[in-house]
Amino acid sequence: MFAKAFRVKSNTAIKGSDRRKLRADVTAAFPALGTDQVSELIPGKEELNIVKLYAHKGDAVTVYVSGGNPILFELEKNLYPTDLMLPGLVVPPAGLPQVQKGDLCAISLVGNRAPVAIGVAAMSTDEMLTSGLKGRGFSMLHTYQDHLWRSGDKSCPPSIAPLALDPADLNEEKVDPALQGDMRGLALEGEEEENGEVDQACGEKSLSEASEDTSAGVLSQDSPDSKTLQEQMDELLQQCFLHALKCRVKKADLPLLTSTFLGSHMFSCCPEGRQLDIKKSSYKKLSKFLQHMQQEQIVQVKELSRGVESIVAVDWKHPRKGSVLDGSEVRKIIIDYAKKNDLVDANNKNLVKMDPILCDCILEKNEQHTVMKLPWDSLLTRCLEKLQPAYQVTFPGQEPIVKKGKICPIDITLAQRASNKKVTVVRNLEPYGLDPCSVAAILQQRCQASTTVTPAPGAKDSLQVQIQGNQVHHLGRLLLEEYQLPRKHIQGLEKAPKPGKKK
């Protein structure tokens, strides 16, 4: 259900009466839970929000969020846990329990009772045994590492030891010691299958296959560097913030609740293998970080209702620090990223595997579930094409001037005027820091010819200089020798008059 990104409709704080009703509904839905466990799941004072959203297939879902993490979701008036540690739902290792079609079930892996997915049984226990443990056993609703999981703090399932078995059971069922491991390294692969169903844990596999398939990969861990944990978390926080603004948030989404921005956008932008924890940053709270971003004039945050803040405006053109890179730097960053995250294909070193970050940055929407690998040259070319072109002009004794777009060369042309007289026209002086009026005054004196300055046709806020006669030679000396502009940025110098033959 949450294999693809969902759309948030609203996010509101729960009322006291609704909190009490939710406790009663949880107690009725999960009678195995004690009073203390229900109180721990739904605390009395901690912030609790109700998030209404639409799944990618259009299903209307209500999610209950505590402390920024989803704990329960309601679908068609049925409550389902997102906290995969809820007791009373794990499958005991002594064998298959008696379930009926449509019963709520949790899926755990051999050697660890911590569930990695929840769903409803697609068949009864008798039907499972009759089918020889083949076919679709469960319809999955929520899995470890899906988009609902990403909207929270992305915590990994804990390692919970299996229940003790009787000696008779041990003789019948042996557990592979290799499966007794730390669940924190689990990473489920396989995002999309036919009909849009998720292939995670055992949702689309036979029950016998699911019991053998314990993990599909290991999350890569960042190697320690000289920066402190707090400095690393500050960088990760800002990275997720900027990535979310760039790739997830649109103008139509504003105003956007800050809690929604964090849960549905920033957490989703966290690189795989890392966990965003604001409490470990120097800011400690999201509100304090957003205040800093507001001081940087990137966003504007307001309290639209009591105690609830929203992002009401974003400066989409705000210059990001460190955002100006040349082509060689971009290539190095991409190459280092692919190698650091082990994305280079082991069988073909010319291919790079697309992880979620590269998919968001490089692939088109219709490619994100079909293109799994790209050649190096295609990857680097696509990345450069996605970047905003910019140029930098540096003058002696001045700070470099950086502007967006591509810099056009100074254009020198010859034109015919009345009485078959030639005039020299020069355009596009402004990007190089040259004042057309000053250039016209200098040329008028040196060429002893009349000059005029007029708006350049088809160019907004740009002027052109017109000098009587063919003055390309004088113009070339002025631009190349005195202003010391690179020749490659001047076109039309070949139109200078050729020197007369000596007698």
Side-chain angles (χ1 to χ4, degrees), residues 340-356:
K340 181 179 179 181
N341 292 278
D342 196 25
L343 299 179
V344 182
D345 188 270
N347 299 322
N348 187 347
K349 301 295 184 182
N350 190 43
L351 295 177
V352 180
K353 293 178 285 187
M354 296 290 100
D355 70 347

Side-chain angles (χ1 to χ4, degrees), residues 20-34 37-38 41-42 64 71-82 86-89 102-105 118:
R20 290 190 293 271
K21 182 179 181 299
L22 178 60
R23 284 182 179 176
D25 291 342
V26 170
T27 302
F30 309 111
L33 291 178
Q37 292 170 322
V38 173
L41 179 65
I42 309 171
Y64 296 93
I71 57 172
L72 296 160
F73 66 93
E74 186 175 355
L75 177 66
E76 296 179 352
K77 297 184 179 181
N78 292 320
L79 275 176
Y80 300 96
T82 64
L86 273 177
L89 296 175
D103 285 353
L104 176 63
C105 301
I118 61 170

Side-chain angles (χ1 to χ4, degrees), residues 293-443:
M293 294 296 102
Q294 183 168 255
Q295 292 172 357
E296 295 287 333
Q297 298 182 347
I298 298 177
V299 295
Q300 184 178 357
V301 180
K302 285 187 178 181
E303 190 179 51
L304 298 183
S305 58
R306 186 177 179 180
V308 180
E309 291 186 334
S310 298
I311 298 175
V312 296
V314 178
D315 184 1
W316 306 103
K317 297 182 179 180
H318 187 280
R320 310 289 191 251
K321 292 182 179 179
S323 60
V324 179
L325 302 169
D326 60 32
S328 61
E329 291 175 312
V330 174
R331 292 184 180 90
K332 184 178 185 304
I333 290 172
I334 295 296
I335 293 172
D336 290 346
Y337 177 82
K339 291 181 177 179
K340 181 179 179 181
N341 292 278
D342 196 25
L343 299 179
V344 182
D345 188 270
N347 299 322
N348 187 347
K349 301 295 184 182
N350 190 43
L351 295 177
V352 180
K353 293 178 285 187
M354 296 290 100
D355 70 347
I357 300 296
L358 292 180
C359 284
D360 283 347
C361 296
I362 295 174
L363 297 181
E364 302 296 336
K365 288 185 178 180
N366 59 347
E367 296 178 316
Q368 293 194 356
H369 301 298
T370 57
V371 178
M372 301 302 172
K373 301 176 184 178
L374 280 178
W376 275 111
D377 54 352
S378 178
L379 173 65
L380 296 172
T381 300
R382 284 181 177 226
C383 185
L384 290 171
E385 289 175 349
K386 290 286 185 179
L387 296 177
Q388 169 70 51
Y391 62 90
Q392 177 175 293
V393 182
T394 305
F395 299 97
Q398 299 182 22
E399 289 292 327
I401 300 174
V402 179
K403 294 185 177 180
K404 294 182 180 180
K406 295 182 179 179
I407 189 169
C408 297
I410 294 176
D411 182 41
I412 302 173
T413 58
L414 295 176
Q416 295 289 131
R417 293 294 184 261
S419 302
N420 203 28
K421 292 182 179 180
K422 288 185 178 181
V423 293
T424 303
V425 180
V426 56
R427 302 183 181 91
N428 211 36
L429 293 168
E430 295 91 342
Y432 299 87
L434 302 178
D435 179 16
C437 295
S438 299
V439 172
I442 294 173
L443 290 174

